[in-house]
Amino acid sequence: MNRPDLLDQLARATQERAQRGLHRRLRAVEHTASGRCRLDGHEFIVFCSNDYLGLAAHPDVIAALQRAAAEHGVGSTGAHLISGHHRAHAELEETLAVWTGRERALLFSTGIMANLGVMQALLGRTDTRQPGLCLQDKLNHASLIDGARATAATLRRYPHADVDAAARQLAAHPNDAALLATDGVFSMDGDIAPLRALAALCRRESATLMVDDAHGLGVLGPQGAGSLADAGLTQDDAPILMGTLGKALGTGGAFVAGSAALIDGLVQFARSFVYTTAPPPALAAATLEAVRIARAADDRRERLRHLIERFRNGAAQLGLPLMPSTTPIQPLLLGDAERASAAATALEQAGFLVGAIRPPTVPDGQARLRITLSAAHRDDDVDRLLDALAALPRKTQADPASDSC
Ligand SMILES: *Cc1c(COP(=O)(O)O)cnc(C)c1O
């Protein structure tokens, strides 16, 4: 017998990743206030969180969570279809549907599970349908790509934001049921998908458009209803909307919104919805409060726009490699992974936590600092970050010991 050992193989793959300077490690932080944290005994200003509106530590959100836990306990006690679907979940679903202008919404425990569930329900193998086609932007979130790969559908990825390429791929499969899935705001680049053009294409080709609005919800559009609302697109234009609750809303979990028929189908066929424990009802209560605040938070969105502009103007004056983003995700493209890691380490020494995003999360040669802004930041926080960026050595030396994320 000559059977390879799986754990040995894994250890070798890990070692190989470390040799390429791409090893990742976990670090435990304590968030001390919005936009601030303590790590290894030092205080940092956080420029890598997705808490865009500063709601994760909002006193009303905290109070809602505490109150609901005191009244209804912590765990949901079961799957949604058994004992776990609490009134707080149902209320949150209704509120999310109204907010996003959809007929209904369905909660999932995480965004990954929501994307997986949509793919399973729409593209999974059944006795009665042919495996369809799934078109995706090359830069879509990993969970959309993985979700499609786990189905029988043919997955085709079009070059980033290239609507003509997507049209050609659709035209090449005129007889297949087709789902076109895109991030609303791209998580590592911060740019917004060409949603109106994609919606027009899908309408012309009878394909179904799905938008993952993890980074648009709460931030873009009237009342923060997201990138689709911002583009003036309705449920007819984009029948499947996925949103996450752990980013601008500051809590956790995710939802899918669309027609009553879509939601009923997901309840039947989305295995990541059916076969998992419902999230704690207190989390739903906290999210309900966060949605209430987010809808009315034009002041926070205005503050965010101001900070984005302040950062971009400052960075442009310094000649930093900005990307074309108008959202709170403001990456600086550095190229090689060592350079990004070294820059993140130097910023850390100056008191700033910034994510170094490296392959395989982004393509080879496109490592970057992923700077994210929050309404909780002060002007002075941004100015000091810019000072620290200006002080970075022009050619940061590779440092094998630095391996943030
Ligand atoms: C964060 C994110 C997800 C995953 O959501 P979680 O709730 O964190 O699992 C999905 N899609 C996009 C675009 C994301 O940024």
Side-chain angles (χ1 to χ4, degrees), residues 334 336 338-344 346 392-399:
L334 297 186
D336 66 72
E338 291 79 22
R339 204 167 154 223
S341 296
L392 286 180
R394 277 290 145 183
K395 261 234 169 300
T396 351
Q397 287 300 305
D399 171 10

Side-chain angles (χ1 to χ4, degrees), residues 128-140:
T128 54
R129 70 180 174 212
Q130 295 293 315
L133 171 71
C134 185
L135 290 191
Q136 297 207 19
D137 189 294
K138 263 232 149 70
L139 297 189
N140 272 359

Side-chain angles (χ1 to χ4, degrees), residues 110-112 115 141 143 183 187 212 214-215 242 244 247 253:
T110 70
I112 289 202
N115 283 338
H141 191 261
S143 57
D183 284 13
S187 52
D212 172 339
H215 299 278
M242 193 287 273
T244 64
K247 287 163 181 157

Side-chain angles (χ1 to χ4, degrees), residues 158-170:
Y158 56 86
H160 181 49
D162 189 339
V163 183
D164 292 337
R168 285 193 294 276
Q169 288 171 344
L170 270 176

Side-chain angles (χ1 to χ4, degrees), residues 107 263 328 392:
L107 288 173
I263 300 308
L392 286 180

